[in-house]
Amino acid sequence: MPTLRLDRSAVAANISAVRAATASTIMAVVKADGYGHGAVAVAEAAVDAGAGWLGITDVADAVALRDAGLDAPILAWLNPVGADAALAAELRVDVAVGSVDELRQLIADADRPVRVHLQMDTGMARGGSPLAEWPELLRVAREGRGHIDVVGVMGHLPLADRADPAINAPAVLRMRHARDAVLRAGFGPLNVHLGATAGALTDPATNFDLVRIGAGLVGIDPSDTTQLTGAGTFTAPVVHSARVPAGTAVGYGHDMVMSVDTHLSVVGVGYADGIPRELASGACVAIGGERHPIVGRVSMDQIVVDTGRVPIERGATATVFGPAGTAAPTIQEWARWAGTIPHTIVTGIGPRVRRSIG
Ligand SMILES: *Cc1c(COP(=O)(O)O)cnc(C)c1O
């Protein structure tokens, strides 16, 4: 069965790398099922390694985390049709609120006080209130006391992957304005947070009380400035193996015709499992410590690998990706082959792929 194994020690190493770059408390962001690696497992590894907070998109994502016994503070920031106020209060989940409308709705829905982080649009036009709306936001927040308590201010950096403090500076300034306005309105103490992985690794000015680290936990540095450790190893079995003569056509469409006698291995993993269907040449997997190219089209649940002179036994294990320093390709290489970013490689891993912890 195809398996994605999470290496907890890699998550710990990545947390250490972030801690070396910033004194801020780490919020471990485990949205999209922990960037494909399993939200609970990644959250546990991160908290054990010193993360003080957890970040999710929907309040409901907190159920599994709390059920697993994780009791770190949690923030949820994508609540399109209104956060579940009762669940947020029950599970002690803070809710990010990015508009006056959303805040009014939460105040109306909350029987018990919900902890709120007001979200600033720091230049991304992807949620958050622009600074001009903050007087109204704070007026509504003050009126809503008893239903909500403002305990945080949040922004998000649109250009942190450029690793250029000058580019981040306007957002940092807006965050300071927002923080000061919230304090003047009588709320506090506050958890102020702006930076994610790239900001935490490259620009200390963006790091307020918390840094929200998602990609970095599993070994992705969007700024490409820090060598992090790939936390996942994705393996799949060789389900069929054969020696074929020159002239053999492989896969749908017969796009690939083998030019010499060779050995082909069929690996039981395909685009339904997250193998990108559009791949540049060079895409490969590792079998027995050697890289072998993928030939022909990627099918829904299988790929064909040309192992040349090397016969492979059915049942052998192919490694699709793993940490750098082994024969296995990295998620960064897969991203290049697919013309995308490593994030979509890991979040695209399908539900059939068993998640395990190593
Ligand atoms: C996804 C996300 C993060 C985590 O960003 P990474 O670059 O993956 O560390 C932080 N904050 C917000 C608002 C996000 O949506």
Side-chain angles (χ1 to χ4, degrees):
M1 182 192 286
T3 301
L4 177 62
R5 192 179 75 248
L6 174 75
D7 176 2
R8 291 172 49 96
S9 69
V11 176
N14 294 332
I15 295 258
S16 295
V18 173
R19 284 175 121 175
T22 177
S24 304
T25 298
I26 293 174
M27 176 187 291
V29 177
V30 293
K31 64 189 183 186
D33 196 23
Y35 291 59
H37 289 64
V40 168
V42 173
E44 285 175 344
V47 167
D48 287 350
W53 280 68
L54 296 170
I56 54 179
T57 46
D58 302 300
V59 172
D61 294 344
V63 173
L65 300 174
R66 292 291 186 232
D67 282 352
L70 286 156
D71 59 22
I74 299 179
L75 174 67
W77 58 74
L78 264 190
N79 303 290
V81 285
D84 184 335
L87 192 62
E90 183 197 329
L91 297 180
R92 293 170 292 112
V93 178
D94 296 11
V95 175
V97 172
S99 70
V100 172
D101 188 49
E102 230 182 298
L103 187 59
R104 284 213 173 92
Q105 189 177 358
L106 187 61
I107 290 166
D109 291 349
D111 299 327
R112 284 194 282 158
V114 174
R115 288 161 47 102
V116 165
H117 298 221
L118 297 177
Q119 190 179 352
M120 171 86 192
D121 179 357
T122 43
M124 204 164 174
R126 197 200 72 178
S129 267
L131 204 51
E133 283 175 17
W134 279 61
E136 175 68 356
L137 196 63
L138 290 170
R139 198 186 58 72
V140 173
R142 271 198 308 270
E143 280 175 13
R145 273 199 156 128
H147 298 271
I148 56 136
D149 192 14
V150 177
V151 299
V153 181
M154 168 177 180
H156 195 42
L157 292 168
L159 301 166
D161 60 339
R162 307 245 191 103
D164 181 349
I167 284 180
N168 296 328
V172 172
L173 199 62
R174 280 192 225 179
M175 275 309 281
R176 293 197 183 126
H177 284 313
R179 174 197 61 197
D180 294 346
V182 177
L183 290 171
R184 273 198 309 274
F187 295 104
L190 297 175
N191 301 281
V192 181
H193 44 106
L194 173 63
T197 299
L201 291 174
T202 63
D203 186 359
T206 64
N207 303 336
F208 290 82
D209 302 308
L210 307 172
V211 287
R212 302 183 306 267
I213 307 298
L217 298 176
V218 297
I220 301 167
D221 170 16
S223 70
D224 276 331
T225 59
T226 306
Q227 182 67 56
L228 298 175
T229 309
T233 298
F234 184 6
T235 56
V238 172
V239 294
H240 179 81
S241 201
R243 191 181 149 76
V244 301
T248 298
V250 182
Y252 287 120
H254 281 182
D255 289 357
M256 173 65 87
V257 179
M258 305 318 296
S259 56
V260 295
D261 295 0
T262 193
H263 290 88
L264 297 180
S265 283
V266 179
V267 179
V269 72
Y271 58 75
D273 305 304
I275 303 294
R277 189 169 174 281
E278 305 300 330
L279 286 173
S281 69
C284 60
V285 300
I287 306 175
E290 300 260 3
R291 288 184 169 203
H292 300 288
I294 296 168
V295 290
R297 285 197 201 152
V298 174
S299 298
M300 186 178 290
D301 37 31
Q302 41 199 309
I303 53 177
V304 180
V305 176
D306 178 11
T307 65
R309 270 194 270 265
V310 186
I312 303 291
E313 295 219 347
R314 193 168 64 82
T317 296
T319 305
V320 176
F321 65 69
T326 65
T330 61
I331 50 177
Q332 284 79 9
E333 288 180 287
W334 276 99
R336 277 197 293 280
W337 295 329
T340 182
I341 54 175
H343 309 60
T344 72
I345 300 297
V346 290
T347 58
I349 296 170
R352 178 174 77 131
V353 178
R354 192 169 65 93
R355 270 59 171 184
S356 77
I357 303 168

